[in-house]
Amino acid sequence: MANVSPTRGDITAHPDVPEMRDRYDRMLGGRDVALVDGPVFLLGLYCAASPWILHYTTSQPALVTHNLIMGIAIGLLALGFTRAPERMYGLSWAFCAMGVWMIIAPWVVGESPDAGVIVNNIIVGALAVILGLVCAGTAAKSTSRP
């Protein structure tokens, strides 16, 4: 019986291999942290909706507005990470700062917050710091390549 499935030869000797590799690297554009964009966006959505999920809209009206604005900002940052990663991953450190602010915000913005509000903001802030560090570390690693 004849072999009808031809095997492909090794293309490493092809004259366009370096150009193809460069083009492939440009197309990826340093997207090592593409898997982080989704969780960052979901974190922003949760942060914006958390006052209604945890039912502290009447007891902490200042924190409701604060978490809504911060959640929208986190979501927009995630969309920026997805849309223009080469320009936006420099803002990963700003995302870390937003996480630290989320941790201390119940005492700065709120009026005698209860334990649920404090734990919520600490968890959201800690996740923002962790995801921001992952973005910053991976972006630094991808930009230092030769």
Side-chain angles (χ1 to χ4, degrees):
M1 193 169 236
N3 183 6
V4 293
S5 59
T7 58
R8 295 181 185 240
D10 188 18
I11 68 164
T12 55
H14 194 278
D16 293 333
V17 167
E19 181 183 339
M20 289 188 288
R21 284 190 181 142
D22 289 341
R23 183 170 184 229
Y24 181 73
D25 288 340
R26 278 194 320 270
M27 294 301 287
L28 284 179
R31 297 294 296 149
D32 293 337
V33 286
L35 294 176
V36 180
D37 298 347
V40 170
F41 185 73
L42 291 175
L43 182 69
L45 285 179
Y46 174 76
C47 181
S50 65
W52 291 275
I53 293 171
L54 297 177
H55 304 291
Y56 62 88
T57 54
T58 55
S59 66
Q60 298 291 329
L63 271 176
V64 170
T65 306
H66 172 268
N67 281 13
L68 179 65
I69 292 170
M70 289 297 288
I72 291 170
I74 291 170
L76 290 174
L77 196 60
L79 291 175
F81 286 164
T82 303
R83 183 74 179 129
E86 62 280 350
R87 292 187 309 218
M88 293 295 291
Y89 280 130
L91 292 176
S92 299
W93 295 109
F95 186 44
C96 292
M98 290 170 70
V100 171
W101 172 251
M102 285 297 296
I103 292 172
I104 63 172
W107 296 282
V108 176
V109 177
E111 300 168 10
S112 64
D114 62 349
V117 173
I118 292 170
V119 169
N120 176 62
N121 274 32
I122 287 174
I123 290 172
V124 169
L127 286 173
V129 168
I130 291 168
L131 290 172
L133 288 174
V134 168
C135 286
T138 311
K141 183 182 77 171
S142 69
T143 56
S144 66
R145 289 184 192 158

